[in-house]
């Protein structure tokens, strides 16, 4: 039976729910109906007549909804660079249906692999062996390294470059490189969560863990339990990134909560008493309370935990970058929150 689609002012269906099963009506060649159908399900391109399977606008709409619908496009459409780019941006595996010469197109291949790491199996072999192509693909999708030729995952110099553009690529390198301290520090400095892929001994290394925390506070959850119970480590981690608070040991979180209440309640915004703060790490990011909350809280924790007098820390505008003040006074330096 015939179903009349709702059509917008532009002539394209704007309510996909109005499309019921269309049977052979798609084969009759109504362009408006075809546009509505592929906008709802790109695979409907399969049922359109040959002239609409070669229609650039129809095919673009189909692959925008489902990149794999490129399979049903006419050869002339599958050889169109614009069509293929849109298809691989929706699903990288659509590259397998593109014209052979586009498998050698670096931009198309990078887009495909950035979207779907496993799509590298459809890339021209010569292009796959190009380190620059691999780096560009890894920058967009760390899983691209998993599908790269094995020699790339074992090459230390290449891996150093790879984790510099995408730290999570550390999860796909050879095990001996996951135990390489320089490689791991480079990776966690680019993306803190790369710490989860580091070898166990390096997840206990304070310098490595702090490098990850400086980039992303939640990365502390991937560190070993030992640093998270250490008082000195806790002060450094909170100085770098307040969100690390959630991943300290329960005993340390209790102490921090006590100090937060002592600092915030009498010194809250507009002199109001604040019984609690959300999120709990807000004072460490300069989000709640009067100026200087961070320095005051860290100094109070230093005294409570019996640690040596600390030097003030300044956070630069770059996330996680810490600069020591030239003064030894713990409260004489203003905080610049990132």
């Amino acid at each position: 039976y015939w179903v009349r689609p709702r059509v917008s002012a532009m002539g394209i269906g704007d309510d996909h729910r109005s499309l019921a099963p269309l049977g052979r009506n798609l084969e009759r060649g109504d362009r408006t109906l075809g546009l509505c159908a592929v906008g709802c399900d790109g695979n409907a391109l399969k049922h359109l007549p040959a002239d609409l399977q070669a229609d650039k606008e129809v095919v673009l709409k189909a692959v925008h909804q489902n990149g794999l619908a490129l399979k049903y496009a006419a050869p002339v459409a599958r050889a169109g660079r614009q069509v293929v780019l849109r298809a691989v941006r929706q699903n990288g595996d659509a590259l397998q249906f593109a014209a052979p010469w586009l498998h050698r197109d670096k931009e198309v291949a990078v887009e495909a692999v950035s979207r779907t790491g496993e799509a590298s199996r459809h890339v021209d072999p010569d292009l796959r062996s190009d380190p620059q192509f691999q780096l560009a693909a890894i920058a967009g999708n760390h899983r691209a390294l998993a599908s790269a030729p094995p020699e790339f995952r074992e090459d230390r110099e290449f891996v150093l470059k790879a984790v510099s553009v995408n730290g999570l690529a550390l999860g796909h390198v050879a095990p001996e490189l996951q135990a390489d301290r320089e490689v791991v520090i480079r990776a966690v400095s680019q993306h803190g969560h790369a710490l989860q892929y580091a070898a166990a001994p390096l997840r206990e290394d304070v310098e490595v863990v702090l490098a990850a925390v400086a980039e992303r506070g939640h990365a502390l959850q991937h560190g070993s339990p030992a640093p998270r119970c250490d008082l000195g480590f806790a002060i450094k981690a909170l100085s770098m990134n307040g969100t690390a608070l959630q991943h300290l040991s329960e005993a340390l979180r209790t102490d921090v909560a006590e100090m937060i209440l002592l600092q915030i309640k009498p010194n809250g915004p507009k002199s109001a008493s604040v019984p609690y703060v959300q999120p709990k790490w807000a004072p460490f990011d300069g989000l709640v309370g009067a100026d200087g909350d961070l320095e005051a809280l860290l100094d109070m924790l230093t005294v409570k935990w019996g640690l040596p007098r600390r030097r003030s820390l300044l956070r630069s505008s770059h996330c996680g970058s810490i600069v020591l003040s030239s003064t030894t006074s713990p409260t004489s330096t203003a905080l610049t929150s990132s």
Side-chain angles (χ1 to χ4, degrees):
Y1 59 94
W2 184 267
V3 176
R4 183 176 182 178
R6 298 180 186 177
V7 179
S8 69
M10 298 179 64
I12 298 175
D14 58 1
D15 186 354
H16 296 153
R17 292 173 298 180
S18 67
L19 295 176
L22 297 177
R24 294 184 177 180
N25 291 309
L26 289 177
E27 300 173 3
R28 298 182 182 181
D30 184 283
R31 190 170 185 274
T32 300
L33 186 62
L35 282 168
C36 290
V38 299
C40 182
D41 182 352
N43 285 328
L45 186 64
K46 175 182 180 180
H47 304 290
L48 298 184
D51 61 324
L52 291 183
Q53 289 178 340
D55 185 306
K56 183 177 180 181
E57 183 182 358
V58 173
V59 176
L60 281 171
K61 193 172 182 68
V63 299
H64 179 74
Q65 198 281 327
N66 184 343
L68 296 178
L70 186 64
K71 175 181 180 180
Y72 305 115
V76 64
R78 286 188 273 124
R81 195 168 184 275
Q82 182 183 359
V83 170
V84 173
L85 274 172
R86 183 172 294 188
V88 298
R89 285 169 180 160
Q90 201 283 326
N91 189 321
D93 276 330
L95 182 61
Q96 63 187 299
F97 304 120
W101 70 272
L102 286 170
H103 294 214
R104 300 188 294 273
D105 186 299
K106 184 175 180 179
E107 182 184 359
V108 172
V110 167
E111 289 286 351
V113 179
S114 295
R115 179 64 179 173
T116 309
E118 295 76 11
S120 65
R121 64 183 182 272
H122 308 304
V123 176
D124 181 81
D126 291 337
L127 188 56
R128 286 189 71 203
S129 63
D130 181 357
Q132 295 307 312
F133 162 74
Q134 291 294 344
L135 287 174
I138 291 166
N141 187 342
H142 65 90
R143 294 182 180 86
L145 185 55
S147 302
E151 57 267 24
F152 286 109
R153 298 193 292 274
E154 299 168 358
D155 185 326
R156 187 176 186 275
E157 293 305 312
F158 177 83
V159 167
L160 281 169
K161 294 177 182 178
V163 298
S164 295
V165 298
N166 194 329
L168 295 177
L170 183 66
H172 308 290
V173 305
E176 58 269 21
L177 294 177
Q178 292 177 333
D180 186 306
R181 197 168 186 272
E182 182 183 356
V183 170
V184 172
I185 288 180
R186 187 83 62 91
V188 300
S189 297
Q190 199 283 325
H191 197 300
H193 285 308
L195 182 63
Q196 65 188 295
Y197 303 118
L202 290 178
R203 294 200 300 272
E204 299 176 357
D205 187 305
V206 170
E207 183 180 350
V208 172
V209 177
L210 284 177
V213 169
E215 198 283 323
R216 202 167 301 235
H218 290 298
L220 183 54
Q221 64 187 294
H222 306 302
S224 69
R228 287 185 270 170
C229 300
D230 183 86
L231 302 180
F233 174 87
I235 288 289
K236 292 178 182 177
L238 293 174
S239 300
M240 292 178 171
N241 199 314
T243 56
L245 172 61
Q246 307 174 75
H247 307 292
L248 295 176
S249 69
E250 184 176 355
L252 296 188
R253 291 201 307 273
T254 300
D255 285 349
V256 172
E258 179 185 342
M259 294 300 102
I260 286 177
L261 289 176
L262 289 175
Q263 172 65 14
I264 297 299
K265 287 185 70 172
N267 193 27
K270 300 180 181 179
S271 301
S273 178
V274 182
Y276 60 87
V277 291
Q278 291 292 342
K280 295 179 180 179
W281 60 87
F284 294 102
D285 283 335
L287 302 178
V288 174
D291 293 339
D293 272 343
L294 173 65
E295 291 299 319
L297 284 168
L298 292 176
D299 290 339
M300 292 167 71
L301 287 170
T302 299
V303 172
K304 181 176 180 64
W305 291 338
L307 298 174
R309 187 172 181 177
R310 52 181 292 279
R311 297 179 69 189
S312 295
L313 293 172
L314 288 175
R315 277 186 243 184
S316 76
S317 58
H318 300 290
C319 179
S321 179
I322 305 299
V323 181
L324 281 173
S325 167
S326 58
T327 177
T328 58
S329 172
T331 57
S332 62
T333 305
L335 169 67
T336 304
S337 63
S338 55

